[in-house]
Amino acid sequence: MNIINKYLLKSILEKKGRMFLLILSIAISSALLIVTLTVVDLMSDLFIKQAKQNFGEYNIELYSEDSKVFDWNDISIGEDKYKRLGMLESGGYVVEDKDKEFKVLGVNGEKFKDFSPMVPLQGNVNRFTGNKIAISKKVLESLDVKLGDNIELFIDGQNAKYEIVAVYDTEGVFAYDGEERFTIVVPKDTLVAYSDDKDNNTLMYIEVKDDNINSWVQDFNIKNEDSKIIAKRTYDEEAIRSQMEWIKNPMIFMLIITIIMATFIIYSAFKLIVSERLPIFGTFFSQGANYLHIQNLLLREGIIYGFLGGLVGLLLGVLLSGVISNYSIYEFDFASYEKVTIKGKYLAVSLVFSILFSAIVAALPLFKIRKNSIKDIILNTVDTKKTNKSKNFIIGIIFLIFVVVIKNLQEYFDYALAIPNVILYLIGAVLIISSVVKFICYPISKILRGKNTSGMLAFNNMTSHKPIINNITLITISILSITIISTMSNAIGDVISGSYSQMNFDYLLVASPRKLDEFSEKLYNLFNEEDIYEITAIPTTLDDNVLNPINLYGVQTERYIDFDEYMSFDNKDKQLKELESVESGIIICKRVSKNYGLNKEDVINLTYNNKTYEMEVTSVVDPKMYASGNYNIISQKVAKEIFGIENPTQYFVNTNLSKSKLKNEFKSFGVEILSKREIIKDTEKEMKQFTDILYIFTIITIIMGGIGMGSNMFISFLQRKRELAVLTSLGMNLEHRSILLMYESSIMAALGSLLGLVYGWLSLFLIQDVFIFLMLDLNMKFPTNLLSVVFGVTILLSIMSSVPIINKNRKLDIVKELKYE
C-alpha cells in the first residue's frame, strides 16, 4: 500500500504544470458552486444589515394614512412602554443654489441623540432649538460650508438663516444623501406643524420587542383603523430575500457552462495520464493486477486532486462570494466592504462535490483502454493515438437532433424544458467540434500541399493533434459564454429603453404626501389635463404572504389607453372598460397568472396595511419587463373606495419645459422630478448588478480556458518534440518551425473564435426559450459589434501564449530527440 501511495504522490508531483491545471479547474468549479449557493443569501443579508443600520433599534414605522399630523395620544397602543422617535416632515431648498433640494425632519434633540445609527462627527444637538440644523458630512462638503456657518434655507414657505450645529456620518436618516437631494434635521419647534401642547408627528419610529412582529402590526392596524394611523415594518427580511431570488437561475446556467469546461479539461488531462502510464499499467498487470486495481488507482488520484482543488475552491469561493455580494451594494467602494459568513453546510457540499466530480471524471478515460486486452497493454502495443472521433460525432449529432425536436415542442411543455435543452445543446456541440474542425481543415491542408509547407502542416495538425483540438474547444466555449452574456446585456439595455420609449410622458413627478393637494392643484393649473397621467402604486401581497408580492397600479382607465404602447393587451380598450365596470376588478399580469394559476373571473385575496381585500380578476396583461413583470392594474376608483388611497403617488407629464424650469415651479413642494432618460439610466443601473455578476462568471471561465490553452500548447510541444526534430532533419530550419507554431496558434484562435461565435449565435435561439420560461421579455440579437473584438483579442492572446513555446523551440536539441529513432 505504501508503494502505491508513494507512486501516486510521485506521479502527481512529477507534472507540476498539470497538477496546477487540474487543481485550478476543480477549484474554480467548486468556488462558483459556493457563489451560486450563497451569494443571494449574502446579498440579502447585507441589504438587511444595511436596513438595520439605517433604522437601528426601531423596527416599526407609524404614519398617518391621510398624511396628517398625529399625536402619540391619538394612538391605541396600550401601555406607554415603547421607545420612540417622533418626527415632523417638510421640504425645502438652499436659497443660493435652488437645485439643491432637501427633505426636512423636525426632531426632539434629546431623543435624536439616542438614535443609534446616527454617528456624530462634529458638534452636537444638546440644545437643539430655534434655527439650527444637523447635516451629514457629505452635504457639508457638497455645500462647501463648515460647522458653525449660517446658511439660508427655504423651509415651510419662508427664507431663514440656519446655523450648522452638528455634522453626522452618512448613516441613518442621512443614508441616501446625494449631491442635489438630501436630508437635513431641524428642531421640531421651527416647523409650522409644531405644537406646544401636543406631540405632533407625521412619522414615528418605535421599538417593538415582540417575537411575532407581523402579528403585532396586524393587531395595531385593526385597533387604529378609525384614527387612520398605520404601522408597518421599517424593513421586511422576507421581502428582501424574495426580491433577490431571481438572480439564482442565470447563475446556475453559467455554473453549468463552467462545469462543462472543467469536465473537458480534467477529462483531457486524465486521458493523457492514462496514455502516458500504459507501460506502467502493463507492469502492474504482469504482476497480477486487474482493471479494478487500476481504476481504484485513478479514483484515488482523482480524489486527491478533488480534495486539493476543493480546499483551494473553498478559499476562492469565500473570497468571490464576499466580493460579489459587497459589489452588489457598494460597487467599487472597497472601504465599505463588509465581512461575510458562509454557512458550513455550503462549504461541505462544495468539498464533497469537488471530490466526487474529480474522481468520476478521472475514472472515465479508463473505459477507453478496457477495450484493449491486458496482453496488448503488457506488451505496450496499444495505439493510444487512435481515437473514435466518429463515435463522439454520432452521439453529438443525436444530442443536437433531440435539441431541435425539443425546441419545436417547447410550447406544448410551457417551455419547462428550455434549460435542459440548452445543456443538451452545449454537450452535443462540444462533442462534434473535432469532426467540424477536421471538415474545415482537411481540405485546406490538401490545397496547401506543395504550395505552403508550414501552412499545410499547421492545418493538418488541427485535424490530428488532440491538445490543439482541445484548445479549439476551450476557445469555443469561452467565446460562446461571452456571446451569451454580451447579448443578454445588450438585450436588457434595449428592452429598458424600448419599454419607456413606448410610454407617453417626458417627466415623472413624485410629491411629498403632506402637500399632494396643493401640488395637484398647481400641476393642473400649469398643464392641460390630457398631458397628465395619474398612477397610484400600491404594494400588496397575495393571501397575506410576503413571499407573494402583488404590485397594484391604480390608473385612469379612460385615459390609460394613450399612456402605454409597450405592455401587451389582448384587447386594451375592452379590457380597461371591463376593469372599470367591475366594483373590485383587477387586471393581473402574466407572471402572477402563471405562478399562482389564476385566470379571468377568479377571486383573489390581497393584503394591504394588514387588511385583506377580495378582488375579481377581469383579464390578464403581459407587462413584459416593465416593473420587473409584476404590474397589476386596478382603476383609481378602486384605489380610493376600496384601498382608501385618495391621491395618486405618481404623475407622468408631457411637457416641453426643461427640468430646471419644472423644479422652479414646484420648489416648495418637495417634488422629486425624473426625466424619462434618468429613469432609463437608473433602471439600467439596477439591472447592471445582474449582468455584472454573470460577467464575473464569464471572466473566470475565460481565465480557466486561457490557462487550459497554455497547458495544452505546452503539452502539444512536448509530444511533438521528436516530430519537430524529424522535420528539421528533413530540411525545416528554426525559422520555419517558429512559423509553423505561429500558424498553429493563429489558426487555432481563428477556428475557436469562429466556432464560438457560430455556436453562440445558435444558442441564442435556445436561450430565448429560457427567458420565455422565466417570463422575461428579452429579444436576443447577435452582438455584431463583438466580431472584430473577439477575433482580434483571441488571436492576440494565442500568439502571446505561443511565444514561450517558440522560445522552447529555439532550444530544441535535435540530436537528443533523434538519438533513439
Side-chain angles (χ1 to χ4, degrees):
M1 190 64 70
N2 279 335
I3 294 174
I4 296 295
N5 289 334
K6 286 179 182 179
Y7 168 74
L8 274 178
L9 184 62
K10 180 174 178 277
S11 301
I12 291 171
L13 295 176
E14 203 171 41
K15 305 282 186 178
K16 292 183 175 59
R18 182 192 295 159
M19 178 182 71
F20 173 75
L21 176 65
L22 286 168
I23 290 175
L24 183 67
S25 301
I26 295 164
I28 289 176
S29 302
S30 173
L32 294 186
L33 177 62
I34 292 175
V35 171
T36 304
L37 292 173
T38 64
V39 79
V40 170
D41 288 337
L42 294 177
M43 287 166 60
S44 301
D45 289 342
L46 287 175
F47 275 112
I48 291 166
K49 185 177 180 181
Q50 192 177 56
K52 287 180 178 179
Q53 287 174 342
N54 290 339
F55 295 103
E57 62 273 31
Y58 298 118
N59 53 359
I60 297 294
E61 176 184 326
L62 305 181
Y63 62 95
S64 172
E65 188 175 16
D66 52 13
S67 303
K68 301 253 172 48
V69 295
F70 62 90
D71 177 43
W72 177 255
N73 294 319
D74 297 333
I75 302 171
S76 298
I77 198 169
E79 298 178 23
D80 188 4
K81 62 181 180 179
Y82 300 99
K83 182 178 179 180
R84 63 184 187 269
L85 173 65
M87 292 173 277
L88 286 171
E89 298 172 288
S90 186
Y93 56 86
V94 179
V95 174
E96 290 185 0
D97 188 351
K98 294 184 179 181
D99 283 337
K100 294 187 182 296
E101 298 182 69
F102 50 76
K103 179 170 73 172
V104 178
L105 294 179
V107 303
N108 175 286
E110 290 300 314
K111 290 189 176 180
F112 188 72
K113 276 199 309 181
D114 292 335
F115 189 21
S116 61
M118 306 312 301
V119 181
L121 301 176
Q122 302 175 44
N124 58 67
V125 290
N126 287 341
R127 290 183 293 276
F128 203 49
T129 184
N131 286 11
K132 296 178 180 178
I133 62 170
I135 59 177
S136 70
K137 180 183 177 182
K138 185 173 185 177
V139 172
L140 187 82
E141 295 169 351
S142 173
L143 297 177
D144 193 21
V145 292
K146 60 182 182 297
L147 187 72
D149 282 356
N150 287 286
I151 182 169
E152 191 172 3
L153 306 174
F154 180 90
I155 298 175
D156 271 348
Q158 61 182 357
N159 293 349
K161 287 196 173 181
Y162 290 79
E163 180 188 358
I164 302 171
V165 298
V167 180
Y168 286 82
D169 200 357
T170 312
E171 299 287 349
V173 298
F174 300 133
Y176 301 104
D177 280 359
E179 291 292 322
E180 292 191 352
R181 294 188 66 86
F182 48 87
T183 298
I184 69 168
V185 171
V186 303
K188 264 190 177 184
D189 60 21
T190 63
L191 299 179
V192 171
Y194 174 73
S195 174
D196 283 326
D197 59 345
K198 282 191 174 183
D199 180 22
N200 277 357
N201 306 278
T202 56
L203 176 67
M204 184 178 288
Y205 295 152
I206 67 173
E207 179 186 16
V208 174
K209 295 177 179 178
D210 195 299
D211 293 335
N212 193 333
I213 296 298
N214 288 332
S215 177
W216 187 95
V217 169
Q218 189 171 15
D219 291 343
F220 176 93
N221 287 331
I222 293 171
K223 290 177 183 176
N224 291 275
E225 186 173 359
D226 294 336
S227 64
K228 295 188 176 181
I229 307 300
I230 305 295
K232 71 173 186 179
R233 297 177 66 169
T234 50
Y235 56 88
D236 194 320
E237 295 187 18
E238 293 87 353
I240 291 172
R241 294 188 189 282
S242 66
Q243 290 169 6
M244 296 289 171
E245 281 297 320
W246 65 276
I247 299 175
K248 241 177 192 173
N249 282 332
M251 288 174 64
I252 291 171
F253 176 71
M254 291 306 299
L255 174 65
I256 290 168
I257 291 180
T258 306
I259 290 175
I260 289 174
M261 182 177 279
T263 302
F264 182 77
I265 291 173
I266 296 167
Y267 175 77
S268 299
F270 270 95
K271 191 174 178 184
L272 182 62
I273 288 171
V274 169
S275 176
E276 289 176 345
R277 294 183 191 167
L278 277 179
I280 298 171
F281 292 164
T283 303
F284 287 165
F285 284 137
S286 67
Q287 298 299 313
N290 55 37
Y291 277 115
L292 186 60
H293 294 122
I294 303 300
Q295 185 170 303
N296 287 339
L297 187 67
L298 287 175
L299 279 172
R300 288 170 67 177
E301 187 167 357
I303 289 170
I304 292 171
Y305 279 120
F307 180 73
L308 295 174
L311 291 180
V312 176
L314 293 182
L315 297 175
L316 185 61
V318 170
L319 177 63
L320 275 175
S321 298
V323 170
I324 291 172
S325 54
N326 274 283
Y327 172 81
S328 67
I329 299 174
Y330 304 112
E331 294 189 339
F332 292 108
D333 183 10
F334 299 113
S336 300
Y337 277 27
E338 301 180 41
K339 186 178 179 180
V340 298
T341 303
I342 295 176
K343 294 177 182 177
K345 65 179 181 180
Y346 293 138
L347 300 178
V349 166
S350 174
L351 186 59
V352 171
F353 163 80
S354 300
I355 293 170
L356 292 178
F357 174 56
S358 176
I360 292 170
V361 177
L364 291 177
L366 187 64
F367 290 105
K368 290 225 170 191
I369 65 164
R370 288 182 76 104
K371 297 175 182 178
N372 296 282
S373 67
I374 291 178
K375 177 185 174 182
D376 287 335
I377 295 173
I378 293 173
L379 296 175
N380 197 23
T381 57
V382 176
D383 184 4
T384 58
K385 294 183 179 180
K386 184 180 178 182
T387 58
N388 193 352
K389 294 180 183 178
S390 61
K391 183 179 178 181
N392 287 344
F393 179 75
I394 292 168
I395 295 173
I397 290 296
I398 291 172
F399 276 23
L400 294 178
I401 290 171
F402 274 113
V403 168
V404 173
V405 172
I406 293 171
K407 165 71 179 172
N408 289 307
L409 296 176
Q410 285 285 22
E411 289 186 35
Y412 298 101
F413 297 101
D414 204 15
Y415 295 91
L417 298 177
I419 294 177
N421 205 33
V422 173
I423 297 169
L424 202 62
Y425 165 77
L426 292 174
I427 296 172
V430 168
L431 287 174
I432 67 169
I433 283 178
S434 61
S435 297
V436 173
V437 169
K438 185 174 182 179
F439 177 78
I440 295 171
C441 294
Y442 186 74
I444 298 176
S445 68
K446 291 290 185 184
I447 293 170
L448 293 176
R449 188 179 296 275
K451 299 175 183 176
N452 185 326
T453 304
S454 295
M456 183 271 293
L457 289 173
F459 275 102
N460 188 62
N461 288 337
M462 294 295 117
T463 67
S464 59
H465 205 59
K466 191 65 178 176
I468 292 177
I469 295 173
N470 290 348
N471 273 356
I472 294 172
T473 303
L474 290 173
I475 295 171
T476 300
I477 296 173
S478 298
I479 302 303
L480 182 146
S481 63
I482 293 173
T483 305
I484 292 172
I485 298 304
S486 297
T487 305
M488 196 182 302
S489 182
N490 292 342
I492 288 172
D494 290 344
V495 79
I496 289 171
S497 57
S499 62
Y500 284 106
S501 67
Q502 295 179 60
M503 293 182 182
N504 189 22
F505 76 96
D506 295 309
Y507 293 95
L508 165 62
L509 282 67
V510 182
S512 168
R514 289 189 60 239
K515 297 190 176 183
L516 267 177
D517 291 334
E518 302 167 53
F519 164 75
S520 180
E521 183 180 351
K522 179 161 186 176
L523 184 70
Y524 278 95
N525 286 333
L526 189 62
F527 300 107
N528 296 323
E529 185 176 344
E530 60 267 21
D531 292 326
I532 303 169
Y533 298 92
E534 299 178 355
I535 293 181
T536 305
I538 310 172
T540 71
T541 58
L542 181 66
D543 297 326
D544 197 20
N545 186 343
V546 294
L547 299 179
N548 300 333
I550 309 290
N551 296 328
L552 304 184
Y553 294 86
V555 306
Q556 301 159 295
T557 51
E558 70 283 358
R559 301 200 55 242
Y560 193 71
I561 293 173
D562 299 324
F563 174 69
D564 160 62
E565 295 298 331
Y566 170 69
M567 289 184 274
S568 178
F569 290 81
D570 292 331
N571 186 324
K572 191 174 187 180
D573 186 46
K574 180 183 176 184
Q575 287 177 263
L576 290 172
K577 284 180 179 177
E578 285 178 350
L579 178 68
E580 186 68 29
S581 67
V582 176
E583 187 176 341
S584 58
I586 176 175
I587 299 176
I588 61 171
C589 65
K590 182 180 177 182
R591 183 182 296 274
V592 167
S593 173
K594 185 174 180 180
N595 286 348
Y596 308 120
L598 301 174
N599 295 293
K600 184 176 180 179
E601 298 183 356
D602 285 347
V603 175
I604 62 175
N605 293 314
L606 298 181
T607 302
Y608 171 67
N609 281 340
N610 296 101
K611 297 176 186 176
T612 300
Y613 306 90
E614 278 193 355
M615 307 289 293
E616 182 183 339
V617 178
T618 60
S619 61
V620 178
V621 65
D622 183 5
K624 303 178 184 176
M625 289 282 285
Y626 187 56
S628 299
N630 191 351
Y631 193 91
N632 307 274
I633 303 172
I634 60 173
S635 66
Q636 280 198 348
K637 179 179 72 175
V638 168
K640 291 176 182 178
E641 295 179 0
I642 295 181
F643 291 93
I645 300 176
E646 294 294 330
N647 294 301
T649 56
Q650 302 170 337
Y651 293 83
F652 293 86
V653 177
N654 270 318
T655 177
N656 292 323
L657 292 179
S658 66
K659 184 176 179 179
S660 59
K661 288 183 179 179
L662 274 178
K663 289 177 76 171
N664 285 330
E665 290 289 346
F666 297 101
K667 265 296 171 195
S668 60
F669 295 95
V671 179
E672 183 179 8
I673 302 173
L674 294 171
S675 68
K676 186 184 288 188
R677 181 175 293 181
E678 287 173 324
I679 294 171
I680 291 171
K681 188 176 179 181
D682 290 344
T683 309
E684 286 177 339
K685 186 177 180 181
E686 290 175 9
M687 294 304 294
K688 187 174 181 291
Q689 176 194 77
F690 163 68
T691 54
D692 282 352
I693 290 173
L694 294 187
Y695 269 121
I696 291 172
F697 271 60
T698 304
I699 290 168
I700 293 170
T701 303
I702 292 169
I703 291 171
M704 184 166 68
I707 294 172
M709 281 171 54
S711 172
N712 281 334
M713 290 182 74
F714 187 71
I715 291 170
S716 172
F717 176 76
L718 292 179
Q719 288 182 341
R720 290 188 298 153
K721 284 196 298 183
R722 185 167 294 176
E723 179 184 323
L724 291 170
V726 171
L727 290 172
T728 302
S729 69
L730 294 175
M732 180 177 278
N733 58 29
L734 175 62
E735 182 183 350
H736 284 99
R737 291 206 313 267
S738 299
I739 291 172
L740 172 62
L741 294 172
M742 291 291 288
Y743 272 169
E744 287 178 354
S745 295
S746 301
I747 296 167
M748 180 179 65
L751 283 172
S753 299
L754 178 64
L755 288 176
L757 290 170
V758 172
Y759 278 14
W761 173 68
L762 292 172
S763 73
L764 300 184
F765 295 98
L766 304 176
I767 301 291
Q768 188 77 57
D769 291 344
V770 175
F771 288 116
I772 293 174
F773 173 69
L774 297 174
M775 289 176 284
L776 297 175
D777 177 45
L778 292 179
N779 186 14
M780 306 291 281
K781 295 179 181 177
F782 184 76
T784 52
N785 58 323
L786 200 66
L787 290 170
S788 58
V789 176
V790 166
F791 271 106
V793 172
T794 308
I795 290 174
L796 179 63
L797 288 175
S798 295
I799 292 174
M800 287 173 62
S801 62
S802 68
V803 170
I805 306 303
I806 291 173
N807 287 333
K808 287 273 186 184
N809 172 55
R810 292 178 184 278
K811 299 173 184 178
L812 186 66
D813 189 335
I814 307 300
V815 175
K816 181 181 176 181
E817 297 301 326
L818 292 175
K819 183 184 290 185
Y820 299 106
E821 274 296 309

